[in-house]
Amino acid sequence: MAKTAYSIQMDFQRAKKQAEELERIAKDIRKVADHEMPDCMREISSNWKGDNARLYTVKGQSVSENIRKVADGLAKTAATLRTIAQNNYNAEKTALELAETRNYQ
């Protein structure tokens, strides 16, 4: 079944909303890595001394870096989703316009 202009627009809007949601999640995750984890590690290091404390905070820094990579991946996924959605929208609109102007003789 052929898509209507309305359904093409709605699919495009839905894809953009999903990309926005991924961007919001990426921002929240990055906030954890950039602010909450370091704050937590500082609190731990101020209250816990010794080799194990140092090892634990080093591990915490590694986890923060991994969390940042996840956030970057989500942001890239959102950007890719936006690009695909725009390309798909353009292609479907063009196909619809061609179908509407087609002249059968």
Side-chain angles (χ1 to χ4, degrees):
M1 183 168 128
K3 285 189 165 186
T4 64
Y6 178 77
S7 66
I8 292 169
Q9 183 66 31
M10 293 308 295
D11 287 347
F12 182 53
Q13 293 302 321
R14 192 175 313 114
K16 289 190 335 183
K17 288 251 185 241
Q18 289 171 341
E20 288 172 11
E21 180 68 9
L22 283 176
E23 289 169 339
R24 185 194 61 75
I25 291 168
K27 182 180 174 183
D28 290 347
I29 289 173
R30 180 163 289 285
K31 180 181 171 191
V32 168
D34 290 344
H35 302 290
E36 294 174 22
M37 286 288 293
D39 290 347
C40 182
M41 290 299 111
R42 275 191 295 278
E43 184 71 22
I44 287 170
S45 66
S46 71
N47 292 307
W48 184 18
K49 303 298 179 195
D51 288 340
N52 288 336
R54 185 184 56 76
L55 292 173
Y56 187 83
T57 56
V58 167
K59 183 66 174 178
Q61 291 169 350
S62 174
V63 169
S64 288
E65 185 57 36
N66 287 338
I67 292 171
R68 277 187 208 92
K69 288 178 184 177
V70 168
D72 290 345
L74 285 174
K76 286 179 184 176
T77 300
T80 301
L81 177 58
R82 284 183 187 284
T83 299
I84 291 169
Q86 186 67 55
N87 291 344
N88 193 46
Y89 174 80
N90 293 343
E92 288 181 337
K93 288 293 279 187
T94 300
L96 181 63
E97 289 168 6
L98 288 172
E100 289 173 347
T101 59
R102 189 174 303 145
N103 185 4
Y104 294 102
Q105 295 180 1

